[in-house]
Amino acid sequence: MNPAQAFINEVEKLQQPMNAVIGKGDSPVQNWYKGSVVFITGGNGFLGKLLVEKLLRACNMKKIYILLRGKKNKTMMERLEIMLQDPIFDHLKEKKSKELLKIVPVAGDVADLRLGLADSDWKTLVEEVDIIFHMAATTRFDEPLRVATNVNIRGTREALALARACKKLRLFNHVSTAYTYTTKENVHGDVLEEFYKPPVAPRALIEMVETMTDDRLNAINEKLIEGWPNNYAFTKAVAEDLIKETGGDLPICVMRPSIVQGSYYEPAPGWADNSVLFGASGLIYGGGQGVLHVLYFNKKTRLSFVPGDYVTNATIAAGWHYASRRREDQKDIKIYTISSTKCNFNISILSKAMKDPKSKRLASPLALWYCFVFECYNRLPFFILTWLLHFIPAYLLDGIFFAFRINMPSGIKFVAIYRKIYKMNLSFAYFLSNDWTLRDDNTEELYSAMSPEDKAIFNFDVTDINWHQYVLTIGLGLRKYVAKDGLKDAEYAVKKQNYLMIANFIFFALYFYAIYKVLYLAYTVVSYLY
């Protein structure tokens, strides 16, 4: 058997405790969700699809409404059909296809007032919905402040307005991020599961983006988010304050996942979609395809990677736990952080797993070049190696392709690709070079309160993860679901990497010799002139 598929089959065995009890449908968490009508913003996103799939597979829902943006020449049902073509729904199609009929798309946009909902859809949701998962967000670090505010903050305000209008509301679950307050002043400190003083009042920030010009917003952006690494973390922090100040009378809990990666073992090991390329998985994917060769980080920094299926399970279980607390008259808004900082998972573990000789047998046959990565611990070597290994070769290749009139797919240029990689490297360098302890005491309390059956069905115990195995699962998931190489041709892939290793050695020997000759010639000319 192909070693990649054999590895995936081994990881699938982790589903056995879940499969042994999930079909009974009578665990406390399952009973709490049974027969519910749910509304999900961001339901067609990475975490949204995981949530929709798990609710239908495990919780016997009555109906799931998902907010979808309208597109020209496509009806809502056509857009839903496109979403359901994702392999994440393959298990449901095979085993419980009728559950998919419970998904109902509604047209709207989280960035619009009233979520862009038609009056008829608003009325339907108000009458029927009893649980809301607000997951929609823009997670791009370089998103303009106007867009990030309208989606992450004003969108939360509009979702809260819908929640307040719902006649049967039992839960509003707001998905935030564990990095809301990983500010510069908190480096090496604890980020607690509590609300912090906001950097700016939500109402004031919304008013700014609604009244100021783009030029004015861009001029004050850097000063406004001072202490925060990017507009994403900043606006999610402000959104949490909006939850605290205006949602206190509603049944609300807040989820704070850290760096979310592909699934560990359910519904399929390593499942991911193309959206993960905009996050840390994009760096892993670049390395696995032989495109990224330089990474900037501090090897001692603890990382907080969490599998997408673990985040989904914690999100579902948190609703049940929060409802149980409210029955005991504990009505404060509860924050649940799911992170792996207590596991002391760091970049060296990730690096060691990727360099494991066994992982060479899992290489992709579609890799463009020999897979190697130089690890830089400070900015100067990173900058030099980025030019030597990324930009200069990219300019040479673009020049050769232009001279011979060779066109890349969609007209993409190598320099443009490496500019994106460089930008992504710098964006994540903040998180890969600084350390915080993301406290998860409430999440530990939640897990302890669960029944043995629910712990099997909705597992999110990060202390039980085999990190070496999970890192390789991420890589194989990116191969299967993003590169779509079929997890096949293992022998060819290994031979290809061996040949590319030789080609890489020859190329860089000639390359650096050429650089030496150019520098020597320049030195000779300068010496002659002066």
Side-chain angles (χ1 to χ4, degrees), residues 103 114 149 179 185 216 232 247 291-292 299 322 390 441 453 466 471 490 504:
I103 305 175
R114 283 172 59 94
T149 298
Y179 291 95
E185 67 179 9
R216 179 60 178 157
Y232 167 63
V291 176
L292 182 144
K299 63 180 179 180
Y322 181 71
H390 286 175
D441 302 320
E453 293 78 14
N466 180 331
V471 169
N504 186 68

Side-chain angles (χ1 to χ4, degrees), residues 145 148-157 160 174 176-177 179-181 183 195-209 224-225 228 230-246 256:
L145 184 60
T149 298
N150 284 337
V151 174
N152 294 345
I153 303 173
R154 195 176 71 176
T156 299
R157 184 191 69 183
L160 283 169
H174 173 72
S176 183
T177 172
Y179 291 95
T180 46
Y181 287 95
T183 56
F195 292 105
Y196 286 76
K197 183 179 179 180
V200 64
R203 182 180 299 177
L205 186 56
I206 292 172
E207 186 176 347
M208 283 184 199
V209 302
L224 190 64
I225 71 168
W228 271 261
N230 50 58
N231 286 342
Y232 167 63
F234 173 77
T235 53
K236 294 297 277 186
V238 177
E240 282 195 5
D241 187 62
L242 181 70
I243 292 285
K244 174 190 173 186
E245 294 300 319
T246 66
R256 284 184 182 169

Side-chain angles (χ1 to χ4, degrees), residues 85-99:
Q85 289 173 9
D86 193 294
I88 192 176
F89 298 106
D90 286 352
H91 177 84
L92 283 174
K93 289 177 182 178
E94 181 182 347
K95 303 291 186 181
K96 304 175 74 173
S97 59
K98 290 184 179 179
E99 292 295 314

Side-chain angles (χ1 to χ4, degrees), residues 63-292:
K63 192 180 296 182
I64 296 179
Y65 288 103
I66 60 172
L67 188 70
L68 291 178
R69 282 186 293 179
K71 286 192 174 181
K72 293 181 180 179
N73 304 321
K74 282 188 173 58
T75 66
M76 282 297 101
M77 294 309 297
E78 288 173 333
R79 290 214 64 207
L80 176 62
E81 186 57 36
I82 293 172
M83 170 181 157
L84 294 180
Q85 289 173 9
D86 193 294
I88 192 176
F89 298 106
D90 286 352
H91 177 84
L92 283 174
K93 289 177 182 178
E94 181 182 347
K95 303 291 186 181
K96 304 175 74 173
S97 59
K98 290 184 179 179
E99 292 295 314
L100 295 172
L101 299 176
K102 297 178 180 180
I103 305 175
V104 180
V106 290
D109 191 329
V110 73
D112 293 341
L113 298 177
R114 283 172 59 94
L115 302 178
L117 292 166
D119 290 342
S120 57
D121 288 333
W122 181 278
K123 183 178 180 181
T124 298
L125 296 176
V126 165
E127 293 292 333
E128 297 185 21
V129 168
D130 61 323
I131 296 174
I132 294 176
F133 290 97
H134 180 48
M135 309 186 78
T138 174
T139 59
R140 296 193 180 191
F141 292 170
D142 59 348
E143 198 76 85
L145 184 60
R146 185 185 308 281
V147 176
T149 298
N150 284 337
V151 174
N152 294 345
I153 303 173
R154 195 176 71 176
T156 299
R157 184 191 69 183
E158 300 304 293
L160 283 169
L162 174 65
R164 188 165 281 106
C166 286
K167 298 178 180 180
K168 304 175 183 178
L169 188 72
R170 296 192 294 149
L171 174 71
F172 182 93
N173 193 327
H174 173 72
V175 179
S176 183
T177 172
Y179 291 95
T180 46
Y181 287 95
T182 52
T183 56
K184 293 179 181 178
E185 67 179 9
N186 280 343
V187 171
H188 303 307
D190 290 353
V191 178
L192 305 175
E193 292 171 302
E194 61 184 39
F195 292 105
Y196 286 76
K197 183 179 179 180
V200 64
R203 182 180 299 177
L205 186 56
I206 292 172
E207 186 176 347
M208 283 184 199
V209 302
E210 289 180 337
T211 58
M212 287 185 177
T213 64
D214 287 338
D215 289 342
R216 179 60 178 157
L217 276 177
N218 293 337
I220 66 172
N221 195 161
E222 186 174 347
K223 184 65 177 177
L224 190 64
I225 71 168
E226 188 175 5
W228 271 261
N230 50 58
N231 286 342
Y232 167 63
F234 173 77
T235 53
K236 294 297 277 186
V238 177
E240 282 195 5
D241 187 62
L242 181 70
I243 292 285
K244 174 190 173 186
E245 294 300 319
T246 66
D249 58 326
L250 296 172
I252 296 178
C253 68
V254 175
M255 292 301 303
R256 284 184 182 169
S258 54
I259 302 175
V260 185
Q261 299 294 305
S263 64
Y264 189 6
Y265 61 83
E266 62 162 321
W271 176 81
D273 63 15
N274 289 344
S275 67
V276 302
L277 296 181
F278 297 105
S281 290
L283 299 175
I284 298 174
Y285 182 75
Q289 291 297 307
V291 176
L292 182 144

Side-chain angles (χ1 to χ4, degrees), residues 28 60 66 168 179 326 331 337 359 421 435 471 481 488 490:
N60 193 18
I66 60 172
K168 304 175 183 178
Y179 291 95
R326 283 184 71 87
K331 297 184 178 180
T337 295
S359 70
I421 290 175
D435 203 298
V471 169
Y481 299 105
K488 58 184 181 180

